[in-house]
Structures are given as C-alpha cells and as structure tokens.
Amino acid sequence: MPGGAGAGGAGAGAGAQPAKPAQPPKPAEPSAPGSGPQPGGGGDGTTKPPPSPPPGKPAPPPAPAALALSAPQRAPADKRWCEKVTVEFRNTGGSPARSGTVTFATHIIGALGVDWATIRSSQSLPTPIAAGATRSETYTVCVESWRVPLGMRVETQDVSAVWE
C-alpha cells in the first residue's frame, strides 16, 4: 500500500520519496539526458514522426519501388510449346516502377511426369506501375518447338522480376 500511495502522488513525509514515484515515466530521459525529446521519442515507448524539413530544403525522396509478384496463373495456348501466363504485379514501394524485366522459368515435362529441362525466358514489365498500384498482365510464354516432342508439355512454374 505505501508503494501505491507514493505512485498515486498522495505521499507525505520525505521529499525524496514522492519525487521518485513522480518520475517513473521519465526514467528513460535520465538515461539519455540530453537527447530525450529530440531523437523522436526517447525510451518512454512513444515515437514521433521525423521532423519536417525546414522551408527551402527539399523533402527526402520517396521509398523506391518494391514489386510483389503473384503466383503464375497458367492457361493453355494454341501450341503445345507455349502457354498463356498471367502475373499480378503489386507495387508496395513509394515510387513507380518505370522499367524492368519479367523472367519465366518454363519446365519441359515428359509424358510420365519427368521434368526434363527448365528454360528461362524474359519479357518486359507492364510499366509504369504506380506506387501502391496493382497491375495484371498476361504473357504468351513459348520455348523452341523442338524441345517439346509429342506427348510432352510445358509448365511455367516460377516467375521473377527486376525493375528500376
């Protein structure tokens, strides 16, 4: 109970005892006395946004583009060595993606399900992709016809991208 009375601020007696319970929110400030309020929160668990730039100085540049790709959605094409692959691009960054390349990893699958080869091919990103935007694109992905004899098929299983 004495600790509760001191924490509530209803303490009498020694002047040093009430002063310590009055400072529990500020113990983080004494650990960093000169930098408590300035670095953006100190140690009391609060955070403050970074200060605005002074007038006349430019704001910091936005975060770069960051694309998240969906799993490829496959559909048959008119030739057995081609597929239509739909990919969704989501820009979670702070800047638009202005250019880039999508790379497809197309597997050659035999009649018994054996994965004989993986062929990589690239095409252009559907740019620009604005910050926070989502864009879907359907690509026709083909390998050389001689790589896919009768009874074999193609499966585009992996998609990756690079962008600027």
Side-chain angles (χ1 to χ4, degrees), residues 5-141:
Q17 289 298 336
K20 282 200 174 200
Q23 290 181 349
K26 297 182 184 178
E29 289 180 354
S31 66
S35 62
Q38 293 162 344
D44 63 352
T46 61
T47 58
K48 297 177 185 174
S52 299
K57 286 195 173 184
L67 293 182
L69 282 65
S70 70
Q73 301 297 315
R74 301 172 28 244
D78 55 347
K79 299 174 184 150
R80 72 177 180 280
W81 55 87
C82 296
E83 270 189 315
K84 292 185 188 257
V85 180
T86 302
V87 181
E88 182 178 274
F89 304 93
R90 180 179 312 259
N91 186 351
T92 59
S95 298
R98 292 184 175 88
S99 65
T101 305
V102 183
T103 301
F104 302 94
T106 304
H107 296 254
I108 311 296
I109 309 295
L112 299 175
V114 175
D115 190 338
W116 287 99
T118 301
I119 308 299
R120 297 196 182 282
S121 60
S122 297
Q123 296 187 34
S124 296
L125 270 176
T127 55
I129 303 172
T134 300
R135 190 158 180 189
S136 183
E137 184 76 16
T138 300
Y139 296 90
T140 301
V141 180

